[in-house]
Amino acid sequence: FINDKITVNTLSAKLFDQPINLSINGANTSDGYTTSVDLSGNWDVAQFAQLASAEYAEAFSGFTTWQGQLTLQLPQSGMHYSFALTSDLVGVNHTLPAPFAKTPDTIMPLAIAATGTNLASEITAILGTDVRFVGVLPHKEKQFSRAHLALGASEFEGTGVGFSISANLPQLDVGEWYQ
């Protein structure tokens, strides 16, 4: 620490009971206090999926590396943040039906981005070339007010209230999802 400036290099911690590495920089700026955090990890995906449900976790195995960047701005009132996470998901195996199916040696890029304030967040996720998600999450309600899942080369963008799905895939075996 030097007055308002914080610099922490190579801090090790745990997040969701898994190892994480962090580097932190913070200082006063014209926009308020700004903190930048670089994060990385090599996580057991089944253990992480367990946070969603035990049944969901059974479909996953393996470890994968990921990298993230968090920027947090604290002006005189409220706050604003942006977060980005990427992984190639190498090492992950899961038995979910297509278009989510994956073997450990297959590269399937994952990119998650979130921006928000103290009131709400907008979350975007892209998995490979066939899965895209965008949603608005009001923090008070703790559930998405607007969300859209696009499978395949769909150009439909759901912008209405609620949850929508669009699909444009050469083939999709819906029966596999009921097993």
Side-chain angles (χ1 to χ4, degrees):
F1 296 92
I2 301 175
N3 296 324
D4 67 318
K5 294 182 175 91
I6 299 171
T7 302
V8 178
N9 294 316
T10 319
L11 177 67
S12 296
K14 287 204 172 199
L15 179 64
F16 303 118
D17 205 28
Q18 299 215 48
I20 186 171
N21 298 312
L22 304 109
S23 295
I24 304 168
N25 290 299
N28 275 315
T29 67
S30 60
D31 295 325
Y33 196 84
T34 300
T35 303
S36 177
V37 183
D38 292 321
L39 310 108
S40 64
N42 184 14
W43 281 8
D44 178 338
V45 292
Q47 182 180 338
F48 185 67
Q50 182 78 31
L51 295 171
S53 77
E55 184 178 23
Y56 190 58
E58 290 176 9
F60 290 87
S61 64
F63 285 75
T64 194
T65 59
W66 58 269
Q67 304 75 41
Q69 168 78 43
L70 170 66
T71 301
L72 177 63
Q73 292 179 325
L74 301 170
Q76 292 293 62
S77 65
M79 68 91 170
H80 179 270
Y81 80 94
S82 64
F83 176 74
L85 180 140
T86 59
S87 176
D88 60 13
L89 297 180
V90 168
V92 174
N93 183 62
H94 58 75
T95 58
L96 297 173
F100 300 102
K102 185 183 174 318
T103 59
D105 56 341
T106 305
I107 294 173
M108 183 179 277
L110 171 66
I112 300 172
T115 59
T117 66
N118 52 314
L119 299 176
S121 296
E122 182 171 327
I123 300 169
T124 303
I126 300 171
L127 178 64
T129 58
D130 287 329
V131 181
R132 293 175 317 285
F133 172 85
V134 63
V136 175
L137 180 64
H139 299 163
K140 184 177 179 182
E141 288 80 13
K142 298 181 185 174
Q143 71 179 35
F144 286 97
S145 61
R146 303 169 188 269
H148 181 73
L149 176 65
L151 305 174
S154 172
E155 294 191 22
F156 175 75
E157 293 292 330
T159 57
V161 174
F163 181 66
S164 60
I165 300 174
S166 62
N168 182 5
L169 297 167
Q171 180 178 336
L172 179 64
D173 185 353
V174 178
E176 288 184 52
W177 286 95
Y178 288 109
Q179 297 177 2

